[in-house]
Amino acid sequence: MATSTSLPASFSAWQIKGKPAQVHHLSVDALNNLELAKVPIPELPPGYALVRIHAVSLNSRDLYTVSQSPLYPCPLEAGTSPCSDGAGVVVAAGPESKWTPGSRVLLVPSNWLVGNDAADFDITSCLGGKGIQGTLREYALVKDDWLISAPSNLTLEEVATIPCATATALQAILHGPIKTSKGHTVLTQGTGGVSIAAIKIALALGCTVIATSSSPEKLEFLKSLGIKHVINYRTHPEWSKQVLQLTGGKGVDLVVDVGGSSTMLQSLASTRQGGGIALCGILGEGDETGVTPNIMYGAKKVQGILGSSKNMLEQTVQLSKEHDIHPVIAKVVDFRDAKTAFETLMSQKEIGKIVIKVASE
């Protein structure tokens, strides 16, 4: 076994306590399911590396798993660490491992290693899911194929945001219902991690971006990213009318929808004939009517964006290097205060990603 430093006998990991309660995913009571525990350093089998986790990025999925929400099919079990997004440094490599100690790496969050066909994605294989340890721990034992070299232009805190935000946005734009390219118009919603990543990727590709958000402050932030057209969805609840006005009545080529049922009808009304909607989230609550006729009579394509393959992650890393795309991080929270990070995500008030700092670079 090759190591870069002497390893401790045990380390700290946030885990689900025994018999976790099912509560609303936006309730702070969900955090009563978490505890900070001590676990032993694992043995290194052939083809595995031990990674010192430096940063973990939170996603809505983590709220679902910790709260045992029915919105996610793989709730966490007792003794399992949450979170799928993480970046760190290899500190030890087992026999036959291709990694060397000192390598900066990004963890692949599932066993979808090859190709772009979502049929190959197994939701039960994701890190921080049912029976599979997640990244909210000081060390992670990772199979060689589940690691990617981190881009040198990003900090590890930035790298940790790639799997569920930047790669999801890339999949929506380049592998979604419309293969977006220069000259296309893309509509985004809000100032969360996926939406901001979609904006940055679309602008880098030469697309026109229209963005919605809920306050003058957030709209000004969106303009600072280089967006010319922004819409306040609180003052314009039927914001599709503004979208059609901005596109000469045509509609956009692609909507990156993160609201789900609460935004779908407006998203459909904003989409051109033959256009597409990449459904990336279910943040809103609602039961819209009129969805099916809008899809059928507009020949519109709606595609659920679920997971990202290793190939997509590698493509995201390459795009981040080529265009020097940096994620927007709203807040960095210390590992010991991880519950505060979850509370911040629950508030849904921040612009960008919430990151937990586990160790310093």
Side-chain angles (χ1 to χ4, degrees), residues 1-5 7 44 48-50 90-95 97 99-102:
M1 179 178 72
T3 62
S4 62
T5 183
L7 299 174
L44 268 170
Y48 279 76
L50 185 67
V90 173
V91 293
S97 174
W99 294 98
T100 56

Side-chain angles (χ1 to χ4, degrees), residues 15 18 28 33 41 79 82 84 141 144 152 158 190 233 277 347 349 354-355 359:
Q15 296 184 339
V28 294
N33 290 336
I41 286 283
S84 60
L141 181 65
D144 273 10
S152 58
E158 292 175 320
Y233 65 75
I277 297 173
S347 73
K349 294 179 180 178
I354 310 300
V355 172

Side-chain angles (χ1 to χ4, degrees), residues 71-85:
L71 292 173
Y72 192 77
C74 304
L76 285 170
E77 299 173 342
T80 307
S81 294
C83 303
S84 60
D85 290 9

Side-chain angles (χ1 to χ4, degrees), residues 25 30 50 130 137 188 212 232 266 271 290 315 342 356:
H25 65 280
L50 185 67
K130 189 173 183 178
R137 47 189 24 233
T188 64
T212 69
N232 189 323
Q266 285 298 303
T271 306
Q315 187 178 10
F342 278 89
I356 297 171

